[in-house]
Amino acid sequence: MNELNLDFQKTALVLIDLQKGIVSMPGGNTVVDNSIKLIQKFRSSNGFISFVRVAFHDGKDALAPETDHPKNANKIERPADWAELDPRLEVTESDYIVTKRQWGAFFGTDLDIQLRRRGIDTIVLCGIATNIGVESTAREAFQYGYNQIFITDAMTTYSKEEHESSVRFTFPKIGKIRTTEEFLAQVK
């Protein structure tokens, strides 16, 4: 694996759905722990950090197509703090927060324009769930022409098979794959 020659002034850390209602899933604490290491590196390098969360105004703004999946997530009662970002992340006023209403972080949000206005051409991506919010965001970012680095131990999903499918078959076609430690060792 080659060293990553990153310019932190042109690179954003984008963290997907690390919110109270989602990080409680299996593997969520490891994702948060590794994300904190990435956040610290970006803060010390004056990099741009964007936290993405999913939230709904009244539920009518959630996607609700008919599917073969028996569980309709749009009908689930969520606690009042479900969409609040995990406090361990220590979000600051200088961090950019995106609220999405679907899987991907670009569609229906201003994430792309905020990145472009800052001259960002590379995204370091992590979060939950690997094959849903993270992969949807990654596919959108690829179509917008962003370089991407996927931090695979700072993401998780509902099963090992789902996680591995994204990591093995999708991410290598649209970016670079690293663990947290590999990333931190390869950037200056």
Side-chain angles (χ1 to χ4, degrees):
M1 245 177 267
N2 296 334
E3 183 173 302
L4 297 169
N5 295 315
L6 288 187
D7 178 350
F8 278 93
Q9 298 309 299
K10 294 183 173 187
T11 304
L13 175 61
V14 178
L15 304 108
I16 305 295
D17 298 344
L18 298 184
Q19 58 198 67
K20 289 182 179 179
I22 296 177
V23 298
S24 59
M25 73 181 301
N29 285 328
T30 299
V31 170
V32 170
D33 291 345
N34 287 331
S35 295
I36 290 169
K37 294 174 188 175
L38 298 169
I39 291 165
Q40 290 168 344
K41 178 60 179 175
F42 270 76
R43 289 206 201 293
S44 70
S45 302
N46 295 314
F48 185 70
I49 300 172
S50 180
F51 292 94
V52 179
R53 65 180 175 189
V54 61
F56 305 102
H57 173 70
D58 59 7
K60 294 177 183 173
D61 53 347
L63 295 173
E66 293 183 20
T67 69
D68 286 333
H69 195 277
K71 183 178 177 184
N72 188 343
N74 298 327
K75 304 287 188 218
I76 296 172
E77 280 293 319
R78 294 179 173 93
D81 66 350
W82 186 85
E84 289 179 18
L85 293 165
D86 190 303
R88 294 174 290 175
L89 301 169
E90 298 182 358
V91 178
T92 69
E93 287 190 21
S94 65
D95 298 324
Y96 193 72
I97 298 174
V98 173
T99 300
K100 63 185 177 83
R101 312 232 185 268
Q102 63 287 319
W103 290 0
F106 285 94
F107 180 78
T109 75
D110 69 342
L111 180 58
D112 180 55
I113 197 166
Q114 294 301 328
L115 297 176
R116 291 189 191 283
R117 285 182 178 174
R118 289 165 174 80
I120 291 169
D121 62 12
T122 302
I123 297 171
V124 176
L125 194 58
C126 61
I128 301 172
T130 308
N131 60 318
I132 299 176
V134 177
E135 185 174 322
S136 294
T137 299
R139 288 172 181 262
E140 292 170 343
F142 175 76
Q143 292 177 141
Y144 279 120
Y146 289 99
N147 298 310
Q148 297 182 85
I149 302 165
F150 304 103
I151 310 300
T152 59
D153 61 351
M155 55 180 80
T156 192
T157 194
Y158 301 98
S159 72
K160 181 179 179 190
E161 294 79 15
E162 290 169 293
H163 177 79
E164 288 300 321
S165 178
S166 296
V167 170
R168 289 183 57 216
F169 300 113
T170 302
F171 295 161
K173 294 176 180 157
I174 59 177
K176 297 178 179 180
I177 298 171
R178 300 293 189 273
T179 65
T180 302
E181 294 309 316
E182 288 169 343
F183 176 82
L184 294 174
Q186 293 176 16
V187 296
K188 305 266 186 244

